[in-house]
Amino acid sequence: METKTHRSGLTLAAILDTAIAMATAEGLESLTVGELAKRLGLSKSGVFSRIGSREALQKAVIEEYDRRFLQDVFVPAMREPRGLPRLNAIMRLWLQRARDVEIRQGCLYCAGAFEFDDRDGPLRDLLLDGTMAWRSALKRTVIQAIDAGHLVPDTDADQLVFEIDGLFVALMREARFLRDPRAADRAWATYERLIRSRQP
């Protein structure tokens, strides 16, 4: 027999799954406790008791999305040796996640960047923190690749991070808006060319 805690955990996971799908498809501003309860077939009070207010729901969605991204991309990539092997692993895992998740349902960070680019507040700050944490981790990995001699010493780490991060934004547009089935392959080919141009 399932315990109450186990059932609550399953319900919270279902709430977050549905809320993330809503946010990536319709924007974080689309999230309301009432609409979420309706889609899940739960009472409004049932959702509220597990997640809290609308603001708490939006915050929980961003935090859970970030947790899943780290779990899918960075945690396994950190098992690889420092330098280019780790950077390549990050890119492979990132593109695999894009194929499995973001191309299918959208990217919260890409969509959120446009949704909140001209408005201030805690949600923008949370999205910005996640984006900057990702870019900082990417920059650290690039610097390690330079230090290991895998990339030429005069490689501009900030420029390379800009180009790699820009690949993902382009990938989302090509795959979702232009519906190019080769978008992920094109992104990997571009990444390989970027790296080759900076190798000794």
Side-chain angles (χ1 to χ4, degrees):
M1 191 169 171
E2 287 184 325
T3 64
K4 186 176 178 184
T5 305
H6 182 64
R7 286 197 307 273
S8 296
L10 289 175
T11 306
L12 180 58
I15 287 169
L16 288 171
D17 282 344
T18 303
I20 287 171
M22 284 176 65
T24 52
E26 302 160 39
L28 280 160
E29 287 298 308
S30 74
L31 291 175
T32 65
V33 173
E35 181 59 26
L36 192 56
K38 182 176 159 187
R39 293 193 189 193
L40 286 163
L42 297 171
S43 67
K44 206 170 164 182
S45 61
V47 172
F48 188 85
S49 70
R50 288 170 177 85
I51 210 83
S53 66
R54 177 178 184 242
E55 292 73 24
L57 171 63
Q58 291 170 318
K59 184 172 181 282
V61 162
I62 295 171
E63 289 173 344
E64 178 63 13
Y65 188 88
D66 191 51
R67 187 194 70 75
R68 293 179 186 187
F69 182 84
L70 290 174
Q71 200 64 35
D72 290 345
V73 177
F74 277 99
V75 171
M78 290 306 110
R79 300 184 193 119
E80 297 296 325
R82 285 185 173 203
L84 198 52
R86 187 175 293 178
L87 185 60
N88 287 340
I90 287 171
M91 289 305 297
R92 274 195 306 273
L93 291 160
W94 185 22
L95 285 173
Q96 187 56 55
R97 181 184 155 89
R99 289 178 200 270
D100 296 343
V101 179
E102 278 86 11
I103 288 175
R104 189 167 37 82
Q105 70 178 30
C107 173
L108 188 64
Y109 282 100
C110 286
F114 290 106
E115 189 178 358
F116 290 92
D117 59 355
D118 58 357
R119 65 174 97 167
D120 293 321
L123 290 183
R124 185 187 191 280
D125 293 342
L126 201 55
L127 284 165
L128 183 60
D129 287 347
T131 301
M132 295 312 293
W134 144 249
R135 287 178 71 127
S136 294
L138 199 54
K139 183 178 176 180
R140 270 195 311 274
T141 309
V142 168
I143 289 169
Q144 288 166 359
I146 296 167
D147 292 343
H150 301 153
L151 300 176
V152 293
D154 64 349
T155 297
D156 183 336
D158 288 312
Q159 180 64 31
L160 186 53
V161 167
F162 174 85
E163 292 170 347
I164 291 172
D165 196 25
L167 269 179
F168 193 71
V169 178
L171 168 62
M172 287 297 98
R173 189 185 65 175
E174 295 288 318
R176 289 182 57 77
F177 184 63
L178 299 182
R179 296 178 182 166
D180 181 356
R182 299 162 299 173
D185 294 330
R186 291 187 190 284
W188 178 255
T190 304
Y191 167 73
E192 286 189 309
R193 192 173 68 250
L194 283 175
I195 294 303
R196 275 198 307 271
S197 72
R198 289 167 173 87
Q199 284 183 302

